[in-house]
Amino acid sequence: MPSYKLIYFDLPGLAEPIRLLFSYGKVPFIDQRITKEEWVTLKPTTPFGHLPILEIDGVPYSHSRAIFRYVGSIVGLIGKDPMENLAIDSVLGAMLDIREAIVKLRFCEDEAKKPELKKALEERYQRTYKKLEVDAGKNGGYLALNRPTWTDVLFCYNYELLRNALGIDVLTPYPNLQKVKKTVLSQEGIREYLKKRAPNPMKPKYELQQDL
Amino acid sequence: MPSYKLIYFDLPGLAEPIRLLFSYGKVPFIDQRITKEEWVTLKPTTPFGHLPILEIDGVPYSHSRAIFRYVGSIVGLIGKDPMENLAIDSVLGAMLDIREAIVKLRFCEDEAKKPELKKALEERYQRTYKKLEVDAGKNGGYLALNRPTWTDVLFCYNYELLRNALGIDVLTPYPNLQKVKKTVLSQEGIREYLKKRAPNPMKPKYELQQDL
């Protein structure tokens, strides 16, 4: 097996789904967390000036979505053909749309614009969750296919972000999506990771391990 | 072969790379272009309330990146294993970062902020092109691997957007990237498509077919 090193800040951010995916498959990886000062030195040496980076046998690869999919593959959570991967990638797109709306609200500096951004986030996630609830019902508790895929793991992290952004348990009206979360959180590698994961320096009100 | 219908507005936008990829493989597809009025009626019936949509035998799939990858697969432009797909997806991420910077500049309503956004776009694309120029040199004129992949096609469309956004031929200092573009534009299916493609209602100064 190649050696893996994940480089990111000491934050969940775009690296946490990757840490969760490695953990799902119990694939060993170095979880290198760097300071902002270290980033200044490292940045010019990276492929595109971004984190996270996944080093595979010392070769750096960039872009979180590319890394999600790669780690999803190596832990056996990918589709078996292009059609299945289309279904998986489509769910990823829906997750990232929600994340984008969360980020817009969180980093908005204009107080007057916040209610509008909050409404946009609510509409976006409700529209998405309604559709995914139906799909998860048909798929027996999985989002994209009738078996676990890497988007189920992404979904749990996305839920954690969303719950903190809105301050409510966004899953209450969605029993099938609750099942998706429960299945992921009961997976052995995920449980072990969540029990020992580094405290989030942002100190959010809700963290996934509360539901273990 | 399944039947394909691509639904989008009468614009290049997020659908054009998909049209180019279908054309590359000479795979027949219905290129349905709808009006804003038609979209009002269609929107509630779509999976996530977004365009483009690719219907495969009548089943709708959402999210442009997911569709890029799927169509890239069916036209034989995908990697043979997760590692190759990671290299491809990483280039896609770099292309989409440039597109995001273009979109920010284009839709900025605050004139005072535009110089800063233009500078960010210039830095972003130059950083990316410099890295991709080296890669394309090593790969014999291809971006992600030492053979054509679907990101080479994406790159050409991204270049068209970028050249119009900045008003200069951004490829001048990059001979290997010029080769990537030339190889894609000399491909038979792409040539045929560009010769007959619908006029862009935005009337940009530069269009890819000028270089055929």
Side-chain angles (χ1 to χ4, degrees), chain B residues 20-67:
Chain B
L20 286 163
L21 285 167
F22 272 126
S23 304
Y24 184 102
K26 297 189 175 182
V27 174
F29 71 105
I30 298 167
D31 187 10
Q32 186 174 348
R33 292 165 185 245
I34 66 168
T35 62
K36 283 189 178 172
E37 293 69 35
E38 287 168 326
W39 175 231
V40 175
T41 315
L42 185 66
K43 188 172 176 173
T45 72
T46 62
F48 295 104
H50 291 307
L51 291 181
I53 281 176
L54 180 64
E55 282 187 9
I56 306 178
D57 288 337
V59 180
Y61 290 88
S62 241
H63 287 96
S64 51
R65 286 166 228 147
I67 302 172

Side-chain angles (χ1 to χ4, degrees), chain A residues 76-121:
Chain A
L77 289 177
I78 199 146
K80 70 174 185 319
D81 57 35
M83 196 81 169
E84 286 197 354
N85 284 322
L86 172 60
I88 294 172
D89 287 334
S90 181
V91 176
L92 170 69
M95 294 295 103
L96 293 178
D97 286 342
I98 292 175
R99 184 177 184 278
E100 193 183 314
I102 294 171
V103 168
K104 274 187 188 163
L105 173 61
R106 187 155 166 183
F107 294 100
C108 174
E109 290 170 0
D110 182 350
E111 282 300 320
K113 277 197 179 167
K114 284 195 175 176
E116 185 193 329
L117 291 175
K118 190 178 174 205
K119 189 164 172 264
L121 170 58

Side-chain angles (χ1 to χ4, degrees), chain A residues 29-52:
Chain A
F29 70 105
I30 297 167
D31 186 10
Q32 187 175 348
R33 294 166 185 245
I34 65 169
T35 62
K36 284 188 179 175
E37 292 70 34
E38 287 168 325
W39 176 230
V40 174
T41 315
L42 184 67
K43 188 172 177 174
T45 72
T46 61
F48 296 103
H50 291 308
L51 292 181

Side-chain angles (χ1 to χ4, degrees), chain A residues 21 42 51 54 66 100 119 125 136 155-156 164 168 190 205:
Chain A
L21 284 167
L42 184 67
L51 292 181
L54 179 64
E100 193 183 314
K119 189 164 172 264
Y125 99 77
F155 171 79
C156 290
N164 281 311
I168 54 164
I190 297 282
K205 282 195 180 160

Side-chain angles (χ1 to χ4, degrees), chain A residues 43-50 54 56 60-63 65-67 69-70 73-74 82-83 85-87 89-97 100 124 127-128 131-132 135, chain B residues 43-50 54 56 60-63 65-67 69-70 73-74 82-83 85-87 89-97 100 124 127-128 131-132 135:
Chain A
K43 188 172 177 174
T45 72
T46 61
F48 296 103
H50 291 308
L54 179 64
I56 306 179
Y61 290 89
S62 241
H63 287 97
R65 286 167 228 149
I67 302 171
R69 189 169 296 105
Y70 172 76
S73 304
I74 62 167
M83 196 81 169
N85 284 322
L86 172 60
D89 287 334
S90 181
V91 176
L92 170 69
M95 294 295 103
L96 293 178
D97 286 342
E100 193 183 314
R124 170 51 45 205
R127 167 78 198 241
T128 303
K131 147 88 174 139
L132 294 179
D135 292 352
Chain B
K43 188 172 176 173
T45 72
T46 62
F48 295 104
H50 291 307
L54 180 64
I56 306 178
Y61 290 88
S62 241
H63 287 96
R65 286 166 228 147
I67 302 172
R69 190 169 295 105
Y70 172 76
S73 305
I74 62 166
M83 196 83 169
N85 284 322
L86 172 61
D89 287 335
S90 180
V91 176
L92 170 69
M95 294 294 104
L96 294 178
D97 286 343
E100 194 182 314
R124 171 51 44 208
R127 167 79 198 240
T128 304
K131 147 89 173 140
L132 294 178
D135 292 351

